[in-house]
Amino acid sequence: MKGYMTFAGAARHDPAVDDWFGQDDGELRKLAFHWFHRLKACGDDVTELVHDNYPTACVEAVAFAYVGVFKRHVNIGFFLGTELPDPANLLEGSGKRMRHVKVRPGESLDTAALQALIDSAYADIQARLVAA
């Protein structure tokens, strides 16, 4: 699939993802785990791996989202984020394709809008796979 991030090593369960979440960074890592669980819950065809030190969710082998822990926030990133509907204007970034949402502990977040982005990213990749 030209133009998409594909990973031959993506699996339904990757022990490297468990290891990544097993690191004790406190509240931010737990927040990232929560959102990664939501990515994984999109469907039975969701696979995972660690790419560039971030847990990454794929549909089969095509990446659609990742989580990353930073000093004061968690990113929920979308590989084709520029093509997602974002009526709540949660997405940030200026890359050619990727966008992310910053989640900060203690700050309000439109969780329904973020879940809608997750659902859209998953559905988008599924549709692209069918069309390929």
Side-chain angles (χ1 to χ4, degrees), residues 42-110:
C42 285
D44 291 337
D45 56 351
V46 176
T47 58
E48 65 183 21
L49 75 156
V50 175
H51 169 68
D52 284 346
N53 201 35
Y54 299 123
T56 301
C58 304
V59 175
E60 298 173 12
V62 180
F64 74 96
Y66 69 91
V67 297
V69 172
F70 296 87
K71 190 172 185 176
R72 292 188 175 101
H73 70 277
V74 169
N75 274 3
I76 294 87
F78 300 94
F79 284 85
L80 296 175
T82 58
E83 300 185 32
L84 297 177
D86 182 24
N89 293 313
L90 294 179
L91 292 170
E92 299 181 35
S94 58
K96 184 177 179 179
R97 292 189 179 114
M98 297 179 76
R99 293 289 182 270
H100 62 272
V101 175
K102 288 183 180 174
V103 180
R104 294 176 178 90
E107 289 189 12
S108 65
L109 172 68
D110 187 340

